[in-house]
Amino acid sequence: MVWVYPDLLSTYGDQGNVLVLEQRARARGIPVEIVHVRSADPVPEGGDIYLIGGGEDRPQILAADRLRRDGGLHRAVGQGAALLAVCAGYQIMGSAFGGEEGQPVAGIELLDISSTRGQRRAVGELAANVDPALELPTLTGFENHMGVTHLGPGVRPLSQTVVGTGNGDGTEGCYAGKVVGTYLHGPALARNPALADLLMSWIVGPLAPIDDGWYNRLRQERLNTVIPT
Ligand code: GLN
């Protein structure tokens, strides 16, 4: 498992995504090795799951530039690795995103999306119903971004928003192959352990169930704050 650029992109506890995957792999007896790749270092190609987090505009621009020059993440995904990209990391996977002044900045084109700067910041809790093809329960998370993301025909929306802004057109996140992008912090995989298991199952196949009591309490508490029961 490769945690990409913790020195540039790791807001709102996104590193928790790494911890959740590690814990859920170990609980099932699946051996796991975690590599933190700082932005001065090459991204190794041999990982199974890559994770990248959110960040402020400047580190995001720097990260996009370094990832493009490095090429390791492209090669890894080309070889069948899974990738979870959050917020700034998600925007970077597209063809372009909005910089500090809204100027277009080139992304790395791992997903058929492009982002621009929206009119106002999207901040707060988000809940969204996932594409039925993925068979996941409602997504819950926290969003904080200026960006609006346009999906091209090469990706599918990850979910339809119930509460919150997400991509800005009623959808939240997207996926293509084993690459998932989302605006959700929380961290996303602690709020949505089924999404963690989806990523893991893409690599190791069907997974044994594990006790999700703690996760379910967190999920329910957060969902209850936005969806009245
Ligand atoms: N800088 C990006 C935006 O505002 C991403 C923010 C984030 O990662 N939280 O849209």
Side-chain angles (χ1 to χ4, degrees), residues 117-204:
R117 208 174 160 85
Q119 295 296 315
R120 75 175 84 89
R121 182 165 285 276
V123 191
E125 284 291 316
L126 190 148
N129 291 325
V130 184
D131 180 341
L134 296 177
E135 298 182 11
L136 297 181
T138 302
L139 285 179
T140 160
F142 169 80
E143 63 180 336
N144 184 356
H145 56 100
M146 286 293 289
V148 172
T149 296
H150 317 275
L151 308 189
V155 296
R156 289 176 66 120
L158 178 63
S159 59
Q160 305 289 325
T161 53
V162 180
V163 175
T165 303
N167 295 325
D169 64 353
T171 65
E172 196 309 292
C174 76
Y175 70 103
K178 297 181 196 164
V179 180
V180 177
T182 176
Y183 273 110
L184 295 184
H185 303 282
L189 299 187
R191 297 274 200 106
N192 305 283
L195 182 57
D197 286 357
L198 179 69
L199 293 166
M200 208 183 300
S201 71
W202 283 343
I203 302 302
V204 300

Side-chain angles (χ1 to χ4, degrees), residues 25-77:
R26 289 199 200 286
R28 296 180 166 110
I30 300 168
V32 51
E33 184 191 340
I34 295 158
V35 178
H36 288 214
V37 181
R38 294 176 65 81
S39 62
D41 297 325
V43 177
E45 294 169 34
D48 292 317
I49 302 179
Y50 290 72
L51 299 115
I52 187 162
E56 305 300 327
D57 293 344
R58 284 186 181 208
Q60 177 177 1
I61 293 168
L62 197 56
D65 187 53
R66 293 187 175 180
L67 282 171
R68 189 173 338 95
R69 286 169 199 271
D70 177 72
L73 189 58
H74 263 97
R75 289 190 291 275
V77 168

